[in-house]
Amino acid sequence: MKNLKLPTILFLFSLLFIQNARCYNLISSDSTPYLKQRLEWFQDQKFGLLMALGLWSQWGIGGPWVISKAPGRIERSSFYDGLELTMPKGGDTTAGWDFNVYRNAYWNLIRTYYPYNFNENEWAAIAENAGAKYMIFYTKHHDGFSLFDTKFSDFKVTSYYSPYSHHPNPDITQRLFEAFRKRGFGIGVYFSYSDWRSPYYWKPNVPISDNSSENRHFNYDINKEPQRWQKFVDYYQGQIQELMTGYGEVDILWLDGGWDKKFMQVGKMVQMARSHQPELIVVSRGGGEYEDYRTPENRVPDKPLGVPWETVGFIRSGSPRAVVHYFVDIVCKGGNWLIDMQNAALSDGRLDPAVVKILSEMGEWLKVNGEAIYGTRIFSMTQFRD
């Protein structure tokens, strides 16, 4: 990686000079006393990791999306021992196995969840060696499995249904946050508004739609069942309160899955969260009043956005040069790179050695070139013209 030092720095500065100078504006109408200062801190970091250790790691897949798919879109797979995951192309469940069998198999992964080689200190050391400055952890994805000790659900890592509950300290979120904090990392909570496990979001025994995009949403008329919906709002906001009060100082609350956000009483939730974490940056993805910075996914904008932002995406290539150039493109346009490691954890809790190798190579490059990355802002010679 060291042979990239001179050409990459020249490439970086050439891009910095030709970008149009832009002043960063606040995009959230929620103006807190500390927000501008905290967003300056965020922009200094440049590089973060979005880390996960979900149920899906047992199947070797990249997330919980399989349980929201339309029946006809499930393809043959071999990632569940003893269950033939084959659906007829037309989605006719009478000609094959019932889709609920597939979904229940996923829910039952809690009964075999035991990442016995998980070591929070190793994860933190790998992240530090990579040159990352902040971490965001999937405390609860759309599947509703909580990686923290919530009192609002039994679908959690500390539940008696989970073998991992017998670990001396099964609260993975707590252990990770403590390990990363000791190394000076900024700490972020990823949390999904949507919860496909909650009976107050996905009403049981409602047939699944043939339209996958519809299956992301709550599946009943909340105008007809407002009490059911209010139970869901109280449930998800109660979990966020637990995360804001029981897990130390939190820098970023990273909210995802907000397809039904307009019904979520977000203002009340953010007010509560900031009452416990007054300097909190809130990222309510998808626009709206509480989106403190933008999060384009798996892409780099064509030009600077004029507001704080981070690209969220997987590592695109095993080539060190390609990875570095992608990162430099983000930084030159005023952004951060949050590498999504949703599919990087193995079922035993270790991080995939192939991913660790790429992160290590990034770290080697940043040890030489970090001065041109961290704490930088867009600059153009044209800003000095009369």
PDB file of all heavy atoms in Angstrom, residues 91-102:
ATOM      1  N   GLY A  91     -45.203 -18.680  -7.221  1.00  0.00           N
ATOM      2  CA  GLY A  91     -45.554 -18.319  -5.864  1.00  0.00           C
ATOM      3  C   GLY A  91     -46.741 -19.088  -5.311  1.00  0.00           C
ATOM      4  O   GLY A  91     -47.348 -18.688  -4.329  1.00  0.00           O
ATOM      5  N   ASP A  92     -47.134 -20.207  -5.938  1.00  0.00           N
ATOM      6  CA  ASP A  92     -48.252 -21.005  -5.479  1.00  0.00           C
ATOM      7  C   ASP A  92     -47.793 -21.895  -4.330  1.00  0.00           C
ATOM      8  O   ASP A  92     -47.134 -22.912  -4.534  1.00  0.00           O
ATOM      9  CB  ASP A  92     -48.803 -21.851  -6.636  1.00  0.00           C
ATOM     10  CG  ASP A  92     -49.984 -22.704  -6.207  1.00  0.00           C
ATOM     11  OD1 ASP A  92     -50.407 -22.569  -5.039  1.00  0.00           O
ATOM     12  OD2 ASP A  92     -50.477 -23.481  -7.033  1.00  0.00           O
ATOM     13  N   THR A  93     -48.144 -21.533  -3.115  1.00  0.00           N
ATOM     14  CA  THR A  93     -47.650 -22.279  -1.963  1.00  0.00           C
ATOM     15  C   THR A  93     -48.261 -23.668  -1.863  1.00  0.00           C
ATOM     16  O   THR A  93     -47.760 -24.502  -1.111  1.00  0.00           O
ATOM     17  CB  THR A  93     -47.927 -21.506  -0.663  1.00  0.00           C
ATOM     18  OG1 THR A  93     -49.327 -21.251  -0.570  1.00  0.00           O
ATOM     19  CG2 THR A  93     -47.168 -20.204  -0.647  1.00  0.00           C
ATOM     20  N   THR A  94     -49.343 -23.924  -2.574  1.00  0.00           N
ATOM     21  CA  THR A  94     -49.931 -25.262  -2.527  1.00  0.00           C
ATOM     22  C   THR A  94     -49.117 -26.254  -3.342  1.00  0.00           C
ATOM     23  O   THR A  94     -49.262 -27.456  -3.178  1.00  0.00           O
ATOM     24  CB  THR A  94     -51.370 -25.242  -3.068  1.00  0.00           C
ATOM     25  OG1 THR A  94     -51.348 -24.844  -4.444  1.00  0.00           O
ATOM     26  CG2 THR A  94     -52.225 -24.277  -2.283  1.00  0.00           C
ATOM     27  N   ALA A  95     -48.248 -25.753  -4.232  1.00  0.00           N
ATOM     28  CA  ALA A  95     -47.446 -26.634  -5.077  1.00  0.00           C
ATOM     29  C   ALA A  95     -46.083 -26.914  -4.461  1.00  0.00           C
ATOM     30  O   ALA A  95     -45.300 -27.674  -4.994  1.00  0.00           O
ATOM     31  CB  ALA A  95     -47.255 -26.012  -6.463  1.00  0.00           C
ATOM     32  N   GLY A  96     -45.800 -26.299  -3.347  1.00  0.00           N
ATOM     33  CA  GLY A  96     -44.520 -26.500  -2.681  1.00  0.00           C
ATOM     34  C   GLY A  96     -44.715 -26.374  -1.198  1.00  0.00           C
ATOM     35  O   GLY A  96     -45.793 -26.659  -0.674  1.00  0.00           O
ATOM     36  N   TRP A  97     -43.699 -25.974  -0.512  1.00  0.00           N
ATOM     37  CA  TRP A  97     -43.841 -25.799   0.928  1.00  0.00           C
ATOM     38  C   TRP A  97     -44.419 -24.428   1.244  1.00  0.00           C
ATOM     39  O   TRP A  97     -44.328 -23.492   0.450  1.00  0.00           O
ATOM     40  CB  TRP A  97     -42.499 -26.004   1.619  1.00  0.00           C
ATOM     41  CG  TRP A  97     -41.389 -25.159   1.073  1.00  0.00           C
ATOM     42  CD1 TRP A  97     -40.572 -25.473   0.047  1.00  0.00           C
ATOM     43  CD2 TRP A  97     -41.014 -23.860   1.509  1.00  0.00           C
ATOM     44  NE1 TRP A  97     -39.695 -24.456  -0.192  1.00  0.00           N
ATOM     45  CE2 TRP A  97     -39.946 -23.449   0.701  1.00  0.00           C
ATOM     46  CE3 TRP A  97     -41.466 -23.003   2.504  1.00  0.00           C
ATOM     47  CZ2 TRP A  97     -39.329 -22.217   0.854  1.00  0.00           C
ATOM     48  CZ3 TRP A  97     -40.848 -21.774   2.654  1.00  0.00           C
ATOM     49  CH2 TRP A  97     -39.791 -21.388   1.840  1.00  0.00           C
ATOM     50  N   ASP A  98     -45.011 -24.296   2.383  1.00  0.00           N
ATOM     51  CA  ASP A  98     -45.641 -23.053   2.817  1.00  0.00           C
ATOM     52  C   ASP A  98     -44.562 -22.016   3.131  1.00  0.00           C
ATOM     53  O   ASP A  98     -43.563 -22.322   3.796  1.00  0.00           O
ATOM     54  CB  ASP A  98     -46.480 -23.325   4.065  1.00  0.00           C
ATOM     55  CG  ASP A  98     -47.418 -22.168   4.400  1.00  0.00           C
ATOM     56  OD1 ASP A  98     -47.031 -21.009   4.186  1.00  0.00           O
ATOM     57  OD2 ASP A  98     -48.519 -22.450   4.884  1.00  0.00           O
ATOM     58  N   PHE A  99     -44.780 -20.789   2.676  1.00  0.00           N
ATOM     59  CA  PHE A  99     -43.809 -19.731   2.951  1.00  0.00           C
ATOM     60  C   PHE A  99     -43.608 -19.527   4.451  1.00  0.00           C
ATOM     61  O   PHE A  99     -42.521 -19.160   4.896  1.00  0.00           O
ATOM     62  CB  PHE A  99     -44.256 -18.420   2.309  1.00  0.00           C
ATOM     63  CG  PHE A  99     -43.251 -17.302   2.463  1.00  0.00           C
ATOM     64  CD1 PHE A  99     -42.118 -17.248   1.668  1.00  0.00           C
ATOM     65  CD2 PHE A  99     -43.430 -16.320   3.418  1.00  0.00           C
ATOM     66  CE1 PHE A  99     -41.176 -16.241   1.822  1.00  0.00           C
ATOM     67  CE2 PHE A  99     -42.500 -15.305   3.582  1.00  0.00           C
ATOM     68  CZ  PHE A  99     -41.372 -15.263   2.779  1.00  0.00           C
ATOM     69  N   ASN A 100     -44.649 -19.787   5.239  1.00  0.00           N
ATOM     70  CA  ASN A 100     -44.522 -19.621   6.689  1.00  0.00           C
ATOM     71  C   ASN A 100     -43.502 -20.583   7.283  1.00  0.00           C
ATOM     72  O   ASN A 100     -42.899 -20.292   8.320  1.00  0.00           O
ATOM     73  CB  ASN A 100     -45.879 -19.806   7.363  1.00  0.00           C
ATOM     74  CG  ASN A 100     -46.785 -18.613   7.138  1.00  0.00           C
ATOM     75  OD1 ASN A 100     -46.322 -17.482   7.083  1.00  0.00           O
ATOM     76  ND2 ASN A 100     -48.072 -18.863   6.989  1.00  0.00           N
ATOM     77  N   VAL A 101     -43.308 -21.742   6.636  1.00  0.00           N
ATOM     78  CA  VAL A 101     -42.284 -22.677   7.096  1.00  0.00           C
ATOM     79  C   VAL A 101     -40.910 -22.022   6.990  1.00  0.00           C
ATOM     80  O   VAL A 101     -40.077 -22.103   7.897  1.00  0.00           O
ATOM     81  CB  VAL A 101     -42.332 -23.986   6.284  1.00  0.00           C
ATOM     82  CG1 VAL A 101     -41.147 -24.893   6.639  1.00  0.00           C
ATOM     83  CG2 VAL A 101     -43.646 -24.706   6.516  1.00  0.00           C
ATOM     84  N   TYR A 102     -40.704 -21.379   5.867  1.00  0.00           N
ATOM     85  CA  TYR A 102     -39.439 -20.677   5.630  1.00  0.00           C
ATOM     86  C   TYR A 102     -39.240 -19.571   6.667  1.00  0.00           C
ATOM     87  O   TYR A 102     -38.189 -19.453   7.288  1.00  0.00           O
ATOM     88  CB  TYR A 102     -39.473 -20.102   4.220  1.00  0.00           C
ATOM     89  CG  TYR A 102     -38.296 -19.234   3.867  1.00  0.00           C
ATOM     90  CD1 TYR A 102     -37.133 -19.787   3.356  1.00  0.00           C
ATOM     91  CD2 TYR A 102     -38.360 -17.851   4.036  1.00  0.00           C
ATOM     92  CE1 TYR A 102     -36.060 -18.988   3.015  1.00  0.00           C
ATOM     93  CE2 TYR A 102     -37.285 -17.050   3.701  1.00  0.00           C
ATOM     94  CZ  TYR A 102     -36.145 -17.627   3.192  1.00  0.00           C
ATOM     95  OH  TYR A 102     -35.087 -16.835   2.868  1.00  0.00           O
TER      96      TYR A 102
END
